[in-house]
Amino acid sequence: MDYNNGLRYCYNSRFLITLVTGVLLMFYYKPYPDVAYQSIKDIHFVVPTGQFIRNIHRWAANIMVLTVILHMARAFYTASYRAPREFNWLMGIALLAITLGLSFTGYLLPWDQLAYWAITIGANIAQSPRELTDALNITQYFDPGGLIRLLLLGSDTVGPEALIRFYLLHVMILPLMLGMLMGVHFWRIRKDGGLARPVDAESRLGQLPTKTYPVFTQAPAKTYQLATIVKGRTAAVGRGPETTVPSMPHLFYAEIAVLMFTVFLCVALALISDAPLKELANPAVPENPAKAPWYFLGLQELVSFSAFMGGIGVPTIVMIGLGLIPFLDREKTGTGEWFGGPGGWLLVKWSTVFGLAAPILIETIAIRFGWIREWFPSAPQIIVTLINPATILTLIYALYSVYLVKRYNSTRAGALGLFTCFLCGFLVLTIIGTYFRGPNWVFYWSPADWPKH
Amino acid sequence: MDKNKHLLLWSSIAALIMLVFAASKENFWKDWQQIQKSAHADGQTIDVRLRQIVVPELKITDRCVSCHVSMAPGEQAMTGHGALVAHKNVVHDPTVFGCTICHSGQGLATTKEDAHGTVHFWPEPMLPKQFSYAACGTCHTPLAIPSREILNTNKTLFERYDCLACHRLDGRGGTIRPDGGGMEGPDLSRVGIKGYDFGWYEKHAQKHQQAETPAWKNSFGLINENDLSGINSFLATRIGAPKLVEAKALFNSLGCLGCHKVSGVGSDSGPDLSLSGYRDPGQLDFSNVSGSRTLSNWLAEHFRSPVALVAGSQMPAMGLTEDEIELLTMYVLSLRRREVPSNFFPRDHSKVVQFGEREFAKDGATIYGTFCASCHGQKGEGMRYAGTQAFPAIANPDFLAAASDEFLTTSISKGRAGRRMPAWEGASGLKPSEIKAVVEHLRKLGATNFIAEATAPRWANGDVKLGAKLYKASCSGCHGADGQGGEMASIK
């Protein structure tokens, strides 16, 4: 049995769990600033099993984000994005974006200090194109930053309009979009011929186990001419891929087992760890440091150097790059194999080393010696915006990828290197942002070193 | 296939067990449920259910009474768990005010640690028991509080005239006497806030004259005018919170408003104290505070050594005793203004915010103690703090003999240019009548009146020869032999 489906099953289960617990929480939550916090407290203290359900909801959401990233990595490393699966890969990218949006919109709803200030940071990042338009002196004519922020918050500040918008996105718009896209995602798996498999899959798998019955028991007696939209001249009738087995019970037991395992995991984590709830949101007392959810902390680390490049520029490049992968890599070999293609596992290993070393080195320089604004105080803002650890790191990764393409004469090799580097960069930046950044976003080895106030 | 079936089986069993455990724990094993099960009222068990006091106008939902069931409105004393003791008699009905309006803490919570607010991320922990009177400051503003010395004097008068023979005050007095009688008079604990008959003395004297019973005949005696004024001042401070009055009297003795502001009155040299009783302990620095991380501990340590807690603070160490530190902590904790609807405004708070009534008594000694004592000393002896310029001894008899009342009044009103003396005349400072009272108090401190110069001014007859000699000896070095200038300016 192929366990490559495990991550997808895990993701589906997470969505199901968050859906069920979310509906239960929706009975008690009130999306208004003056009562939202109190309703969360009521869920915690009064609603039967409310605290437990809220914990499950939060843990399922966090693991959902983690799983979607791992699933994307699995699909990439087995080259499952190649023809005819390009469209499905794009669907996956869209699901990644919506998952992040779902988690982020849920962050504001408790209306505590963590929620309020994290959303304030997010809104300011949404406004960060103004950094570029200000540097170019065109903000009064063309201000996309302000427009995006206004659309997001419904106001100039984080307040009732923002809360109701985030609530609507979190409980209706994004879940519906996610459900529809998941439907398309699953359907395309069937339409594109199931999982990507290596060309010698049949010989690798060998004979079917006993008591397993193939779907097709005899060759067709004759052929038919059909009007059809599939490629090729004729449709094969009465013939399926060899060694195909029925969904029931093979697929069913696999899926249901993963579902129950993820339920177990969520319940266990919910018992061990409570969802955090800080003080009631107080606009007069900023959280310092105010940190976004963990999966955005790498971005926040980059934002500390340039709001526009770190918050919008580089993520846009990354998402476009992810979307273009299946159209740039037109090779055939290695499909369905882990780390398939020239270079293989060794290439990924060395790319990991490079991918970890580069951000660590750049961050060390920035932390220890500062950056352009410290070195050249009078430098123009446009230079400070364009040259910073975010853009330098992206450039280094791109050059490394080009080098690999030339060395192995393969776009797959370049893609392997680039993807691995970005994963490692994401990991390093997230760890720095989560554990080592203190008040005023200054680097500290330990929270015990944070300054008193 | 078999592996999947096993994973399904054991995951299901484990998840089910944990779900049942969590549901039971949250629904059947709550602390308040155990406490209510152990409760007995008149020998019978009580209904086990969540109990709460909801006051929408104050935005209060207090579930303290889920554990402290005896304190719930309409309930009686119960036996069982220690939390079931009845509440002391208080004048404010919990049905109208809830619990957290006085006690603070997290009324929404149903577990002990969360409800008492001694957890992370709850900015208003429960007030320590010894500071319970500080809660009055949430709504009330004690008025007409004199300095501590005057308060103690007035209290001594009250005790010495044996008012407690017939009256009760803060739980004392009004006991049964051997010859019969007792508690002839009303309880005086809250007359300062409810009001009392200002003609009480004349009526007492009249009853004394006409009385046949031993109580009126023997227990009441005539009071002279000065003492009567002191007793009336003492009665004005009886608001049902004796410790808080004492604390505020201390505050009005140390000259705190010389640097700080409270309710818009005082100086801007230091931070405004109007809301100092509501500070989130999570936002404070406890690295130099020993003991538990509570606001009261932080304040006490701040009074001992301000610079240790607030870097760059100009507040000197006042050298207070531990009793004084505790009282001052009590008063600062009482500076906790909560916005309440106007129908909940107590009379004293309305007087302050709507009619501008002063929070301190009007006599010169109290006003001096409230504004001047921190710099010029309790007795006007002056003050010298490390790191700052010395403050003058304005009760010095020599100074008072040379300074006229006009001079003193102008100095207080307009301040002193180039010095730290601010202009006290103004909206947040003193009124003219108050400045006059301070000047009179200074005269009493120094026991000296202004001595006007008796000698009439006279005109001097110059001696040119002597002048030339003096000029040559003392002035010509800089201004030139003939006054033409040199190192210094020409004086021709």
Side-chain angles (χ1 to χ4, degrees):
Chain A
M1 188 64 201
D2 190 351
Y3 286 95
N4 278 334
N5 266 335
L7 285 169
R8 180 164 63 86
Y9 297 160
C10 192
Y11 177 85
N12 304 344
S13 310
R14 293 300 180 203
F15 180 58
L16 193 64
I17 294 169
T18 49
L19 202 63
V20 171
T21 53
V23 170
L24 291 176
L25 293 173
M26 216 188 295
F27 279 102
Y28 297 101
Y29 176 76
K30 305 182 181 75
Y32 301 101
D34 43 346
V35 292
Y37 184 76
Q38 180 160 340
S39 66
I40 298 290
K41 285 283 186 179
D42 285 349
I43 289 168
H44 189 87
F45 288 120
V46 175
V47 174
T49 332
Q51 176 183 356
F52 188 58
I53 288 172
R54 180 167 175 253
N55 294 346
I56 294 176
H57 192 69
R58 181 179 175 85
W59 275 111
N62 275 292
I63 297 175
M64 191 168 163
V65 173
L66 183 65
T67 307
V68 72
I69 294 170
L70 294 179
H71 179 55
M72 175 177 68
R74 196 282 299 170
F76 174 82
Y77 282 120
T78 55
S80 301
Y81 52 79
R82 285 175 172 163
R85 298 181 181 81
E86 306 97 321
F87 183 72
N88 219 21
W89 172 260
L90 294 181
M91 289 293 99
I93 302 297
L95 284 168
L96 167 67
I98 293 177
T99 303
L100 294 176
L102 254 177
S103 228
F104 186 65
T105 50
Y107 214 65
L108 175 65
L109 302 187
W111 203 251
D112 61 349
Q113 284 284 76
L114 207 61
Y116 183 88
W117 292 104
I119 299 308
T120 301
I121 290 170
N124 287 337
I125 290 174
Q127 189 182 248
S128 65
R130 196 174 275 177
E131 188 188 32
L132 191 64
T133 54
D134 281 349
L136 299 173
N137 272 326
I138 60 173
T139 303
Q140 50 179 332
Y141 312 110
F142 176 63
D143 183 22
L147 179 63
I148 296 171
R149 179 188 162 95
L150 197 62
L151 282 174
L152 197 62
L153 297 183
S155 171
D156 283 335
T157 61
V158 180
E161 292 82 9
L163 184 54
I164 197 72
R165 284 184 182 210
F166 276 59
Y167 178 72
L168 198 65
L169 287 169
H170 188 71
V171 307
M172 189 179 84
I173 295 175
L174 292 178
L176 281 179
M177 290 173 66
L178 197 77
M180 288 189 290
L181 285 180
M182 280 171 70
V184 173
H185 199 55
F186 299 161
W187 169 65
R188 289 295 303 207
I189 293 174
R190 288 303 185 182
K191 181 181 183 305
D192 296 334
L195 292 181
R197 301 184 304 166
V199 292
D200 55 347
E202 294 175 23
S203 58
R204 288 194 199 182
L205 291 173
Q207 290 297 322
L208 292 178
T210 58
K211 297 187 182 178
T212 303
Y213 306 99
V215 173
F216 303 98
T217 56
Q218 64 184 14
K222 61 181 185 177
T223 59
Y224 298 86
Q225 190 74 32
L226 294 178
T228 178
I229 60 173
V230 302
K231 293 182 177 179
R233 299 187 178 189
T234 62
V237 176
R239 176 188 175 275
E242 276 72 17
T243 71
T244 303
V245 295
S247 297
M248 169 64 79
H250 299 274
L251 186 64
F252 172 78
Y253 275 112
E255 288 206 0
I256 202 72
V258 171
L259 170 64
M260 285 315 299
F261 180 74
T262 56
V263 168
F264 160 78
L265 194 61
C266 258
V267 169
L269 288 169
L271 276 180
I272 294 169
S273 176
D274 272 356
L277 187 63
K278 287 201 165 191
E279 304 97 326
L280 176 64
N282 186 353
V285 180
E287 279 286 289
N288 190 13
K291 293 194 172 183
W294 63 268
Y295 40 88
F296 282 134
L297 275 175
L299 236 59
Q300 196 169 338
E301 172 69 21
L302 297 179
V303 161
S304 63
F305 297 108
S306 164
F308 174 69
M309 291 310 291
I312 290 185
V314 167
T316 302
I317 291 170
V318 168
M319 295 303 276
I320 292 177
L322 284 174
L324 287 177
I325 285 176
F327 304 101
L328 295 178
D329 175 16
R330 310 303 298 178
E331 296 172 19
K332 300 284 185 188
T333 59
T335 303
E337 301 180 32
W338 276 92
F339 313 114
W345 163 240
L346 199 65
L347 169 62
V348 172
K349 190 164 65 175
W350 281 112
S351 297
T352 302
V353 172
F354 183 79
L356 292 173
I360 291 176
L361 180 64
I362 292 179
E363 286 287 317
T364 302
I365 292 173
I367 290 166
R368 186 70 176 81
F369 303 109
W371 203 253
I372 288 184
R373 184 61 78 194
E374 284 86 14
W375 302 340
F376 307 102
S378 59
Q381 179 60 34
I382 193 70
I383 299 293
V384 178
T385 300
L386 294 181
I387 302 179
N388 55 66
T391 53
I392 296 294
L393 198 58
T394 304
L395 190 63
I396 286 175
Y397 284 163
L399 292 177
Y400 179 71
S401 173
V402 169
Y403 158 77
L404 290 179
V405 169
K406 292 189 182 308
R407 177 179 170 187
Y408 290 94
N409 194 28
S410 163
T411 52
R412 171 63 172 169
L416 277 174
L418 192 61
F419 190 91
T420 306
C421 283
F422 270 106
L423 269 191
C424 294
F426 173 78
L427 185 67
V428 169
L429 295 171
T430 301
I431 289 175
I432 291 178
T434 303
Y435 296 109
F436 299 114
R437 288 298 189 182
N440 303 324
W441 212 252
V442 176
F443 183 92
Y444 296 98
W445 284 108
S446 164
D449 300 329
W450 291 11
K452 309 302 176 184
H453 54 97
Chain B
M1 173 85 81
D2 285 347
K3 283 191 289 184
N4 285 333
K5 287 181 174 177
H6 276 92
L7 181 60
L8 172 61
L9 174 65
W10 295 114
S11 294
S12 301
I13 292 176
L16 186 64
I17 290 173
M18 283 191 290
L19 281 167
V20 170
F21 171 75
S24 303
K25 179 171 175 288
E26 275 202 41
N27 293 281
F28 301 113
W29 296 342
K30 292 280 197 174
D31 286 347
W32 59 267
Q33 287 163 327
Q34 306 302 315
I35 291 172
Q36 289 191 29
K37 280 174 188 169
S38 74
H40 286 81
D42 289 336
Q44 298 186 32
T45 57
I46 64 169
D47 183 23
V48 179
R49 56 182 171 82
L50 187 81
R51 300 153 191 267
Q52 59 185 6
I53 300 171
V54 182
V55 185
E57 304 97 307
L58 297 175
K59 297 173 187 168
I60 274 177
T61 306
D62 287 341
R63 302 184 176 118
C64 321
V65 291
S66 289
C67 289
H68 300 282
V69 187
S70 300
M71 303 180 184
E75 296 288 350
Q76 55 183 318
M78 298 176 187
T79 57
H81 192 274
L84 293 166
V85 296
H87 199 285
K88 280 168 45 180
N89 286 328
V90 288
V91 297
H92 294 315
D93 185 359
T95 310
V96 180
F97 293 99
C99 310
T100 53
I101 194 82
C102 295
H103 291 284
S104 285
Q106 187 177 188
L108 296 164
T110 52
T111 59
K112 180 179 178 180
E113 290 78 23
D114 286 290
H116 289 194
T118 56
V119 290
H120 282 308
F121 309 128
W122 184 255
E124 296 165 18
M126 205 170 152
L127 275 175
K129 192 167 289 186
Q130 70 263 34
F131 297 119
S132 293
Y133 282 122
C136 305
T138 305
C139 301
H140 286 275
T141 307
L143 298 175
I145 306 297
S147 67
R148 196 182 192 194
E149 184 179 346
I150 292 175
L151 179 71
N152 287 337
T153 300
N154 295 344
K155 186 178 180 185
T156 305
L157 288 177
F158 187 86
E159 302 272 351
R160 198 168 78 239
Y161 277 101
D162 203 19
C163 307
L164 297 180
C166 298
H167 293 281
R168 195 168 183 84
L169 178 73
D170 298 330
R172 291 175 53 234
T175 56
I176 305 295
R177 287 191 295 274
D179 58 353
M183 282 302 296
E184 278 84 4
D187 192 321
L188 302 178
S189 300
R190 300 179 62 241
V191 292
I193 192 163
K194 295 198 301 182
Y196 61 97
D197 187 348
F198 287 103
W200 65 271
Y201 176 68
E202 285 72 26
K203 292 177 179 176
H204 279 54
Q206 189 175 343
K207 280 181 177 290
H208 170 67
Q209 292 290 339
Q210 304 169 359
E212 301 295 339
T213 60
W216 279 106
K217 206 67 176 176
N218 301 327
S219 296
F220 183 78
L222 297 180
I223 306 172
N224 69 57
E225 187 170 333
N226 277 343
D227 291 353
L228 180 61
S229 172
I231 291 176
N232 271 322
S233 172
F234 182 72
L235 290 178
T237 66
R238 298 300 93 196
I239 57 175
K243 210 76 192 285
L244 179 59
V245 169
E246 197 178 335
K248 190 163 184 178
L250 177 62
F251 184 83
N252 289 349
S253 304
L254 299 174
C256 302
L257 293 191
C259 292
H260 296 287
K261 246 177 183 167
V262 172
S263 302
V265 176
S267 171
D268 289 321
S269 300
D272 194 321
L273 299 182
S274 299
L275 293 173
S276 299
Y278 260 157
R279 297 183 71 171
D280 184 356
Q283 301 285 329
L284 296 174
D285 176 7
F286 285 91
S287 52
N288 290 316
V289 180
S290 57
S292 56
R293 298 185 156 219
T294 58
L295 178 56
S296 51
N297 261 2
W298 192 90
L299 290 171
E301 194 63 32
H302 184 64
F303 295 134
R304 290 188 197 100
S305 179
V307 180
L309 266 62
V310 181
S313 173
Q314 295 187 53
M315 178 169 167
M318 307 293 289
L320 304 168
T321 66
E322 289 302 308
D323 280 347
E324 287 169 336
I325 286 174
E326 184 167 331
L327 284 176
L328 216 51
T329 302
M330 156 100 67
Y331 178 68
V332 174
L333 280 176
S334 77
L335 297 172
R336 38 176 59 218
R337 182 68 46 209
R338 189 199 275 227
E339 291 306 320
V340 298
S342 55
N343 55 303
F344 282 89
F345 265 34
R347 190 177 308 136
D348 49 12
H349 183 59
S350 294
K351 285 182 181 177
V352 171
V353 300
Q354 296 177 4
F355 302 103
E357 182 150 335
R358 301 301 217 185
E359 299 184 28
F360 43 86
K362 294 180 168 62
D363 59 288
T366 295
I367 298 173
Y368 179 87
T370 302
F371 292 91
C372 316
S374 61
C375 294
H376 294 293
Q378 299 277 328
K379 307 291 184 186
E381 72 274 23
M383 194 67 74
R384 188 183 295 270
Y385 296 116
T388 67
Q389 66 187 172
F391 297 97
I394 54 179
N396 185 313
D398 292 336
F399 168 74
L400 289 174
S404 65
D405 283 7
E406 290 73 22
F407 174 82
L408 294 175
T409 302
T410 303
S411 294
I412 298 172
S413 302
K414 308 298 183 186
R416 302 277 291 176
R419 310 264 178 174
R420 290 193 59 175
M421 176 69 172
W424 284 105
E425 184 181 66
S428 64
L430 295 170
K431 300 171 182 175
S433 60
E434 291 163 347
I435 296 175
K436 187 171 187 296
V438 169
V439 170
E440 289 169 357
H441 178 66
L442 286 178
R443 294 294 177 190
K444 287 180 191 167
L445 282 178
T448 307
N449 285 322
F450 172 56
I451 301 174
E453 183 63 50
T455 310
R458 59 187 176 85
W459 302 105
N461 294 315
D463 186 338
V464 175
K465 287 185 179 179
L466 183 59
K469 186 175 175 183
L470 286 172
Y471 180 89
K472 189 172 183 179
S474 303
C475 313
S476 59
C478 298
H479 291 285
D482 295 317
Q484 75 276 15
E487 293 183 28
M488 291 301 205
S490 168
I491 56 174
K492 276 205 168 185

